[in-house]
Amino acid sequence: QLQASGGGLVQAGGSLRLSCVVSGLALASGSYSVAWFRQAPGKEREGVSCIRSGSSGSTYGDSVKGRFTISRDNAKNTMYLQMNSLKPEDTAVYYCAARLTRLLLSVCLGPSSYVYWGQGTQVTVSS
């Protein structure tokens, strides 16, 4: 089970941090991939960032590189997405997702790669 939170309304240039509490999967151990996706009205779901088990292995969508940072707190079993320099085009419903295998970075931003999904959290960036 995944529970996303932290969305809200922010002005362009501002920041938000999204959280995703993960249940049923220990981020400190095992083999997994967890990711953030977003979906704006009328658009397809887009991969934002993913992180995999182990000491390395994360990637970002081109539209958020250099502005967003994914991280995890193993003790809290929580994944985060720090979003800086937000733009109106970042407005979307953001979802977290998980899979109990360590995906290749080349596919870990594909929505079809994930089995477990949290409910979305709305992020709205005003201009």
Side-chain angles (χ1 to χ4, degrees), residues 27-69:
L27 297 183
S29 62
S31 180
Y32 62 84
S33 304
V34 288
W36 289 98
F37 292 86
R38 67 185 183 185
Q39 190 165 20
K43 294 188 176 181
E44 293 186 352
R45 193 163 294 192
E46 174 190 12
V48 175
S49 183
C50 69
I51 192 167
R52 309 173 305 167
S53 52
S55 60
S56 65
S58 61
T59 193
Y60 297 87
D62 289 340
S63 60
V64 306
K65 282 180 181 176
R67 300 187 297 122
F68 291 11
T69 303

Side-chain angles (χ1 to χ4, degrees), residues 13 17 37 48 58 61 66 73-74 77 79 93 101-102 104 118 123:
R17 188 177 79 158
F37 292 86
V48 175
S58 61
D73 184 330
N74 291 343
N77 228 44
M79 174 177 66
V93 177
T101 57
R102 195 170 187 268
L104 295 174
V123 172

